[in-house]
Amino acid sequence: MANVVVIGAQWGDEGKGKIVDWLSERADIIVRFQGGHNAGHTLVIGNETYKLALLPSGVVRPGKLSVIGNGVVLDPWHLVSELDALKTRGIDIGAHDLKIAENATLILPLHRELDQLREAAAGEHRIGTTGRGIGPAYEDKAGRRSIRTQDLKNLGTLGPKLDRLLVHHNALRRGLGVAEIGKDTLMRELATIAPKVLPYVENVWSLLDAERRAGKRILFEGAQGALLDVDHGTYPFVTSSNTVAAQAATGSGMGPGAIGYVLGLAKAYTTRVGSGPFPTELTDDVGEQLGQRGQEFGVNTGRKRRCGWFDACLVRQAIKVAGINGIALTKLDVLDGFPEIKVSIGYELDGHRIDNLPAGQNAQARVKPIYECFEGWSQSTKGARKWSELPAQAVKYVRHIEELIECPVTLLSTSPERDDTILVKDPFED
């Protein structure tokens, strides 16, 4: 049996929540391995809709172990609020249901403030972060001054670490013209939240190793998408972590050999939140129609997503750098009724044809998509659970997408509902 990694093959918001929840029925353990609570995911289960950001998508399924790995930056206050919100709806997540890596980096209130202050100071040159402190927390991790979950066990010895952290942050705050933070204030905040988090803290790498040896199926859940990867994405308009499949090993404490199958998610069109290049973006009525039909608003922030046609070049590029074995194509039903559908099959840059998005920021801003046009379909695909229930033209569209991205479509999602999914190949059956 293969352990499966699920990642986004675009700029995030591809529907990972539903697919991970659907796959989690076949898994024993669901692991978040990077990012923070900046990537919301929506689960629709019957008449219930759950909007999560930090907790793994499989957490609403009874009998499954959810794990937050060391590659995640964890806001403990948000964690508690998310757990409390689920509890009010009858889902009580105990320490036997959720484990948090003892070496995960904490997002502190000062990280959130710094994130928002810097974005405001950048003006029109802002990156477009969610302002939740993810970037500053990763910076402290790389700078070897972060506070980690294990530190909550020994607050009495935390003084020197807080001193080191505040030397850095108070210098930044002085430069930004805001008040400095006192060590006592930060210590009180940590002392208040620690008892609520510590019951979940665990030596995760050891736990996962034992479970893998016992033959348990592990599902690794990524956040954001491959095009937001700090190395391989549209830099600098990216997130602060690696979002490709290889990070599942690093961000969970398991070796690369633990990864069996990599499932990439892509919408049947393209969306993006925030700033940055978007070659197929539509600012006309068609783009507006895609956004309305697809309900393209951020789960966490409510920000309106930019919409455009499917970009086969970008998805093909993501497949190669992220190590994707198969694609789950989502939101096919949003394209129902369009008389004509376009797909970008290449770009024009300064009068020359190219087949990948260049790494340079200026060049990315200048590329123009080269489109191939498809005849649309008038019948509904919404809720289809078999290939035979799809219009012939929709099947033709999907099959041609496979050729363009050089990767098979192994799952097809036709609505937000968990069971409205067409399975071509079970990723767990290696």
Side-chain angles (χ1 to χ4, degrees):
M1 300 297 179
N3 295 324
V4 176
V5 179
V6 177
I7 59 172
Q10 293 163 316
W11 281 295
D13 308 310
E14 302 96 347
K16 290 185 290 297
K18 169 194 166 171
I19 298 299
V20 169
D21 175 60
W22 189 82
L23 287 172
S24 66
E25 185 176 16
R26 296 161 170 77
D28 301 298
I29 303 166
I30 300 92
V31 182
R32 273 286 307 273
F33 59 85
Q34 52 78 216
H37 63 303
N38 53 338
H41 38 268
T42 301
L43 310 177
V44 180
I45 303 171
N47 295 324
E48 296 290 331
T49 298
Y50 301 92
K51 295 186 177 182
L52 305 175
L54 182 59
L55 293 170
S57 297
V59 77
V60 295
R61 280 190 178 271
K64 307 295 180 181
L65 176 62
S66 294
V67 173
I68 296 177
N70 58 275
V72 174
V73 285
L74 179 96
D75 183 326
W77 292 272
H78 182 87
L79 171 72
V80 171
S81 69
E82 209 163 288
L83 290 170
D84 287 345
L86 286 176
K87 191 171 185 178
T88 62
R89 301 180 66 177
I91 301 176
D92 192 0
I93 309 299
H96 59 285
D97 303 305
L98 174 68
K99 302 296 182 184
I100 300 170
E102 61 185 359
N103 52 340
T105 292
L106 295 181
I107 299 175
L108 306 176
L110 56 80
H111 293 126
R112 293 195 301 268
E113 290 181 48
L114 178 60
D115 203 352
Q116 295 164 14
L117 287 166
R118 289 199 300 207
E119 279 288 271
E124 62 179 20
H125 301 295
R126 60 187 180 273
I127 299 297
T129 77
T130 58
R132 293 171 183 250
I134 280 76
Y138 273 117
E139 290 173 33
D140 281 348
K141 178 179 180 178
R144 294 165 292 180
R145 55 181 171 264
S146 65
I147 307 302
R148 305 197 292 178
T149 52
Q150 63 186 1
D151 293 322
L152 297 177
K153 300 177 183 178
N154 303 294
L155 293 178
T157 63
L158 201 53
K161 292 185 178 182
L162 294 183
D163 288 334
R164 175 177 168 80
L165 178 72
L166 291 176
V167 163
H168 175 78
H169 277 273
N170 281 334
L172 292 174
R173 294 175 72 89
R174 288 193 297 271
L176 290 165
V178 296
E180 295 184 21
I181 295 173
K183 183 167 70 172
D184 291 343
T185 299
L186 185 52
M187 184 68 84
R188 283 195 299 271
E189 291 173 333
L190 291 171
T192 301
I193 200 67
K196 300 177 182 180
V197 176
L198 284 175
Y200 302 99
V201 175
E202 181 72 67
N203 183 349
V204 158
W205 70 264
S206 180
L207 169 70
L208 292 176
D209 179 67
E211 297 287 21
R212 181 177 68 87
R213 291 175 182 275
K216 297 295 179 65
R217 287 178 168 183
I218 303 173
L219 179 61
F220 298 91
E221 176 186 12
Q224 291 94 26
L227 299 176
L228 291 174
D229 186 278
V230 70
D231 286 302
H232 300 289
T234 48
Y235 192 90
F237 303 99
V238 293
T239 194
S240 300
S241 61
N242 288 111
T243 59
V244 295
Q247 180 63 20
T250 307
S252 65
M254 302 188 76
I259 298 173
Y261 189 91
V262 180
L263 181 68
L265 270 78
K267 287 177 181 171
Y269 52 102
T270 309
T271 64
R272 177 164 201 171
V273 172
S275 306
F278 187 170
T280 63
E281 182 175 12
L282 299 170
T283 56
D284 56 10
D285 291 342
V286 174
E288 190 69 24
Q289 200 171 0
L290 286 171
Q292 290 176 358
R293 288 187 181 185
Q295 299 181 3
E296 298 296 351
F297 297 91
V299 174
N300 280 328
T301 63
R303 288 190 295 179
K304 186 177 180 180
R305 297 178 186 137
R306 301 152 64 189
C307 298
W309 294 121
F310 187 85
D311 192 328
C313 286
L314 277 181
V315 174
R316 184 174 64 242
Q317 189 168 327
I319 286 168
K320 294 182 186 302
V321 301
I324 292 170
N325 301 115
I327 285 288
L329 195 67
T330 65
K331 292 198 170 185
L332 181 68
D333 55 298
V334 174
L335 298 181
D336 292 352
F338 280 100
E340 181 182 71
I341 299 169
K342 295 181 180 181
V343 173
S344 174
I345 58 172
Y347 305 118
E348 180 185 312
L349 176 60
D350 302 334
H352 300 283
R353 166 77 181 258
I354 59 174
D355 294 318
N356 61 276
L357 192 69
Q361 181 180 349
N362 292 332
Q364 288 175 357
R366 296 200 310 275
V367 298
K368 298 177 181 178
I370 299 172
Y371 285 121
E372 185 173 339
C373 297
F374 292 84
E375 178 186 344
W377 53 89
S378 56
Q379 308 98 309
S380 174
T381 64
K382 188 176 180 66
R385 299 181 183 181
K386 299 177 183 177
W387 282 107
S388 59
E389 296 174 359
L390 295 175
Q393 199 60 34
V395 174
K396 193 173 178 181
Y397 176 76
V398 173
R399 293 307 186 199
H400 196 56
I401 289 295
E402 290 180 310
E403 295 175 10
L404 292 172
I405 63 176
E406 301 174 7
C407 186
V409 170
T410 57
L411 281 169
L412 193 64
S413 173
T414 57
S415 94
E417 288 286 347
R418 174 193 281 172
D419 294 327
D420 290 343
T421 306
I422 300 172
L423 175 65
V424 181
K425 179 187 184 302
D426 189 339
F428 282 110
E429 300 297 333
D430 191 13

